[in-house]
Amino acid sequence: IDEEVAVRAFLANLHYKRGHHELVVAQLDQVLAKSPELYHEYFNRGRSLLALGRSADSKHDLEKFLATTQLPREHPQVRAALDLLQQVR
């Protein structure tokens, strides 16, 4: 991961903790444009998109996360994505 991607991902995490979901999405849009293989960032952006009421976009990101993650189904992040998808549907 290049330095810009790492910094933007870090900033997105800080914004998420503060509930600034618009800023999370803005940072992760940049991260995923440069590094679309970072599957966990689809999960992170999906959470913020859902908080912003952008259900269709959230669903897309959460499904992308689940389709590309190498985490086992019982991993907490995978379980959380599945739970969030239930809210979207």
Side-chain angles (χ1 to χ4, degrees), residues 28-44:
L28 293 181
D29 284 349
Q30 296 294 318
V31 166
L32 291 167
K34 289 191 118 196
S35 298
E37 73 282 358
L38 296 177
Y39 62 84
H40 56 281
E41 299 304 355
Y42 289 101
F43 171 78
N44 292 333

Side-chain angles (χ1 to χ4, degrees), residues 13 38-45 47 62 65-66 69-85:
N13 188 47
L38 296 177
Y39 62 84
H40 56 281
E41 299 304 355
Y42 289 101
F43 171 78
N44 292 333
R45 188 172 67 178
R47 294 185 302 175
L62 293 170
F65 164 73
L66 291 170
T69 187
Q70 298 174 358
L71 296 172
R73 188 165 176 87
E74 60 276 354
H75 190 277
Q77 198 173 34
V78 173
R79 300 296 321 150
L82 292 168
D83 290 343
L84 290 171
L85 275 174

Side-chain angles (χ1 to χ4, degrees), residues 2-16:
D2 73 18
E3 190 172 320
E4 178 187 354
V5 168
V7 169
R8 287 185 181 280
F10 178 76
L11 286 172
N13 188 47
L14 291 177
H15 291 311
Y16 183 81

Side-chain angles (χ1 to χ4, degrees), residues 11-28 44 48-49 51-52:
L11 286 172
N13 188 47
L14 291 177
H15 291 311
Y16 183 81
K17 289 178 181 180
R18 293 192 169 116
H20 300 148
H21 298 288
E22 299 90 358
L23 297 173
V24 172
V25 172
Q27 291 299 326
L28 293 181
N44 292 333
S48 286
L49 288 167
L52 292 170

